[in-house]
Amino acid sequence: MSAADAAALAVLLRQAQWAIDDAAHRVPEDRFDGDEHRDLADALEALAGMLRARADRCMVLDQPSR
């Protein structure tokens, strides 16, 4: 994965974080409609697919000790 691809993935991860944070605040107040639920689920599934694809090509350069 190129540096540009990695940066684009990082942006998508941050956007997902913001969307999840927004949902976490709005869902308990019943201010998150059905379309928003579906849109967030679709976005998270797409992001999960990207992460799985990247995991198959990922090479860890330095693994922290446990």
Side-chain angles (χ1 to χ4, degrees):
M1 177 176 274
S2 72
D5 290 340
L9 179 57
V11 169
L12 291 174
L13 287 164
R14 187 62 72 190
Q15 289 172 339
Q17 180 182 15
W18 294 330
I20 291 168
D21 286 344
D22 182 50
H25 287 94
R26 293 177 52 216
V27 165
E29 300 170 354
D30 289 328
R31 295 187 308 117
F32 203 72
D33 67 30
D35 288 337
E36 289 173 305
H37 279 82
R38 283 184 282 282
D39 290 346
L40 179 56
D42 290 345
L44 292 174
E45 286 175 352
L47 181 57
M50 288 181 223
L51 290 169
R52 285 186 190 97
R54 187 178 193 292
D56 292 339
R57 298 184 312 269
C58 195
M59 178 176 44
V60 176
L61 299 177
D62 185 19
Q63 184 124 10
S65 60
R66 294 181 189 234

